[in-house]
Amino acid sequence: MEGVIELNIWQMAAAYIFIVILLVIVKARGISREKEIIISSIRMTIQLVLTGYILVYLFNNMHPLYTILAISIMEIFAIYNIYKRSKTKLSKSLKKIIALSMLLGTLSSLIYFLLVVVQISPWYNPRYFIPIAGMIIGNSMTGISLGVTRLVDGIDTQKHLVESALMLGATPKMATKSIVDNTFDSAILPTINSMVGMGIVFLPGMMTGQILSGTSPVTAIGYQIAIMLGILGSVSLTVILFVQLGYKTFFNEESQLVVGE
Amino acid sequence: MFSLKEVKYKNILNVKHLHIKKNKITCIIGESGSGKTTLLRLLNKLISCDSGEITYNEQSLKVIDSVELRRNVVMLPQAPAIFSGSIKDNLLIGLKFSEKPLLSDDHLTEVLNLVNLNKELHDNAENLSGGEKQRVALGRVILLHPEVLLLDEPSSALDEDTEYLIIDALVNYTRENNKTMIMVTHSKKVAHQFSDEIIEIKRALVNVL
């Protein structure tokens, strides 16, 4: 097997030529995006360098508390990101449901995946725990974000249908069933679609990374298949928890719709 | 049947005292924006009053389960919702919502006749005109056989002839089946011709005429 080509500082610098090309293009065309391009390149570089050093430290100083701390930061960031991404103002109770679904859904999938499927040892081994948690939490975050938009918009635009159903004696669950089903469907669809193109349209990041680092493609594929199933499981679990609990926040204990009040 | 005491809802409605009788036809009239729909929504417990008390069969609405109440006191909004699907789907959905046994096609056709709608059960309900949709929604409410029918301008999208035909049929249905009907109407003529009692809402205050 070939050794890994380590990138030296000059090779890294050569990669930045792409940013220079982009800057020249936007400058020539008069598109005022230079600032964003420069800031995001610098942010990307600093964030990744820092993450690299943190990961080196964590791998060399394995401790369950460090792993738990890393996962907690990822979860908090993901939950905060969902709140931030939402275009509409979210109610306090809906925010609580988002946090609860993310924590329950991702952590249970993660623990099952690492301890039952991959069987890592020790259980907090950061070399496995952190990157896999990143993929599971990141994908679930995208799923829930989509779900939040769909649920809030759905209840808002179909308020009239929901109220008409309530007037006829429907429970809040019956009155929102089609919105809830629709939300779940559209939140898991991107994950299902990405499975279809996998290996043909694109080679997924984790698999590519493993192959570049010298792992046999067969082993890399094994991991990729397993992680895709883990991601699908986690996205489905977080989204189903979110929709099943989330629709209730739009009603009070008298089964009255309280949206927009 | 319904009793309201010192009921206030925002600054939309203010009712000192009101009694709505069982097995009668009560019409609610008043200018638009006077709180007629709010009164129906309060009786259907779709909203709750800020202060005061509403009772149904001498029981406070506060202690009656909202969903149970709405299955006995069904409300038809002014712009009734049409769910995607056929006329049959739209007629049956009320029975599904209130967890009542579904009825045969013959039964459904009978109701379509009652509301004077000459359409096939499998026709797409979303393609109907405003007045036809209103009649499907009315049929859906009648199929539930509730104790009380709360109707918010059930004939607003109908021409005058059809309006009289439908309201006449509704009134007959209510009397024959010993039901109670509370109807908001813009037409004083309809109110005087068909109702046993008329309630007028003027600047958020309620008077029994």
Side-chain angles (χ1 to χ4, degrees):
Chain A
M1 212 171 291
E2 279 178 53
V4 182
I5 305 169
E6 294 268 357
L7 295 182
N8 64 36
I9 189 86
W10 296 112
Q11 286 170 300
M12 288 292 292
Y16 279 93
I17 195 82
F18 293 113
I19 298 292
V20 178
I21 295 171
L22 181 57
L23 285 173
V24 170
I25 294 172
V26 294
K27 184 96 187 154
R29 296 202 145 255
I31 306 165
S32 50
R33 273 272 174 266
E34 295 101 320
K35 211 174 129 194
E36 281 91 341
I37 294 166
I38 293 169
I39 289 177
S40 48
S41 311
I42 294 171
R43 265 194 71 163
M44 183 260 304
T45 309
I46 295 173
Q47 281 166 207
L48 286 180
V49 168
L50 279 179
T51 307
Y53 280 113
I54 292 169
L55 287 179
V56 168
Y57 181 82
L58 290 176
F59 292 175
N60 292 337
N61 301 278
M62 286 212 300
H63 193 283
L65 270 183
Y66 287 157
T67 304
I68 291 171
L69 186 70
I71 302 303
S72 306
I73 292 170
M74 286 160 110
E75 290 280 7
I76 291 168
F77 183 78
I79 293 166
Y80 176 71
N81 208 26
I82 299 167
Y83 297 163
K84 228 178 76 179
R85 268 202 227 175
S86 165
K87 284 176 213 126
T88 47
K89 199 173 175 287
L90 304 173
S91 68
K92 238 187 197 163
S93 46
L94 193 64
K95 282 186 176 175
K96 273 189 209 159
I97 298 298
I98 293 170
L100 183 76
S101 320
M102 269 301 279
L103 290 174
L104 277 180
T106 55
L107 291 180
S108 53
S109 313
L110 187 62
I111 289 166
Y112 176 81
F113 190 78
L114 290 173
L115 303 186
V116 180
V117 180
V118 188
Q119 299 182 0
I120 61 168
S121 174
W123 66 266
Y124 53 85
N125 189 344
R127 187 176 292 277
Y128 290 89
F129 214 117
I130 293 172
I132 289 174
M135 286 186 276
I136 283 186
I137 295 172
N139 281 282
S140 303
M141 176 183 82
T142 311
I144 279 208
S145 281
L146 274 172
V148 170
T149 310
R150 274 300 175 115
L151 187 70
V152 174
D153 286 356
I155 292 191
D156 197 41
T157 56
Q158 293 179 50
K159 193 179 163 194
H160 177 57
L161 281 181
V162 174
E163 277 210 327
S164 292
L166 291 178
M167 287 175 190
L168 291 166
T171 59
K173 188 179 181 171
M174 293 170 181
T176 50
K177 189 181 182 298
S178 64
I179 299 172
V180 164
D181 289 349
N182 220 308
T183 302
F184 181 72
D185 186 46
S186 52
I188 61 158
L189 202 61
T191 311
I192 294 173
N193 283 341
S194 75
M195 286 165 69
V196 176
M198 205 150 277
I200 302 172
V201 186
F202 61 93
L203 292 179
M206 183 177 90
M207 192 175 118
T208 316
Q210 281 187 306
I211 293 172
L212 283 177
S213 68
T215 309
S216 138
V218 177
T219 311
I221 280 168
Y223 266 93
Q224 188 60 49
I225 292 172
I227 190 65
M228 262 327 287
L229 299 174
I231 287 171
L232 183 69
S234 176
V235 172
S236 314
L237 194 59
T238 44
V239 174
I240 197 76
L241 277 170
F242 166 69
V243 288
Q244 285 296 333
L245 301 169
Y247 82 86
K248 292 181 183 166
T249 65
F250 294 89
F251 297 90
N252 62 17
E253 64 277 15
E254 301 285 9
S255 302
Q256 295 165 343
L257 192 63
V258 287
V259 63
E261 278 179 19
Chain B
M1 173 156 259
F2 276 107
S3 242
L4 290 85
K5 262 184 212 156
E6 304 292 337
V7 169
K8 277 188 188 166
Y9 181 78
K10 295 183 176 163
N11 48 7
I12 302 172
L13 202 66
N14 187 349
V15 188
K16 286 248 174 294
H17 180 82
L18 180 68
H19 186 76
I20 298 171
K21 292 182 189 121
K22 195 174 179 172
N23 301 339
K24 298 281 179 198
I25 291 159
T26 304
C27 278
I28 304 170
I29 55 169
E31 289 166 7
S32 58
S34 59
K36 305 186 293 288
T37 301
T38 303
L39 180 58
L40 288 194
R41 288 166 70 87
L42 282 169
L43 301 181
N44 186 247
K45 216 180 161 186
L46 212 58
I47 48 174
S48 297
C49 51
D50 299 327
S51 61
E53 186 162 54
I54 304 174
T55 59
Y56 171 67
N57 288 337
E58 269 125 54
Q59 232 189 340
S60 168
L61 283 199
K62 284 176 196 147
V63 299
I64 306 177
D65 177 75
S66 308
V67 174
E68 268 323 298
L69 176 85
R70 292 179 199 138
R71 288 177 183 180
N72 290 320
V73 181
V74 174
M75 178 169 170
L76 176 76
Q78 192 180 354
I82 288 295
F83 298 87
S84 62
S86 63
I87 293 179
K88 182 178 172 178
D89 297 332
N90 268 277
L91 289 173
L92 290 177
I93 204 162
L95 294 164
K96 286 179 190 163
F97 282 149
S98 55
E99 297 176 296
K100 287 179 177 149
L102 301 185
L103 297 170
S104 67
D105 284 5
D106 290 345
H107 231 101
L108 303 183
T109 313
E110 228 173 83
V111 167
L112 283 188
N113 291 335
L114 180 75
V115 294
N116 200 35
L117 186 63
N118 194 15
K119 291 278 173 187
E120 297 295 325
L121 284 174
H122 58 257
D123 286 350
N124 188 342
E126 284 168 305
N127 295 339
L128 298 176
S129 72
E132 288 166 340
K133 283 179 180 168
Q134 204 165 31
R135 279 176 277 168
V136 170
L138 199 54
R140 179 163 64 201
V141 169
I142 291 169
L143 276 174
L144 298 172
H145 291 293
E147 282 177 43
V148 183
L149 292 151
L150 301 173
L151 311 176
D152 192 358
E153 305 233 13
S155 54
S156 59
L158 306 177
D159 59 81
E160 204 173 333
D161 289 347
T162 322
E163 177 178 27
Y164 271 78
L165 214 67
I166 300 285
I167 293 186
D168 194 46
L170 274 174
V171 166
N172 287 335
Y173 163 84
T174 309
R175 296 205 196 283
E176 280 165 18
N177 296 281
N178 292 323
K179 305 285 182 193
T180 305
M181 183 165 112
I182 303 166
M183 175 168 72
V184 166
T185 176
H186 60 280
S187 157
K188 282 191 177 170
K189 212 167 124 193
V190 167
H192 285 288
Q193 189 171 340
F194 293 103
S195 62
D196 301 313
E197 195 130 28
I198 300 176
I199 296 168
E200 189 178 27
I201 309 184
K202 247 186 196 170
R203 284 183 222 99
L205 293 169
V206 173
N207 299 304
V208 180
L209 296 183

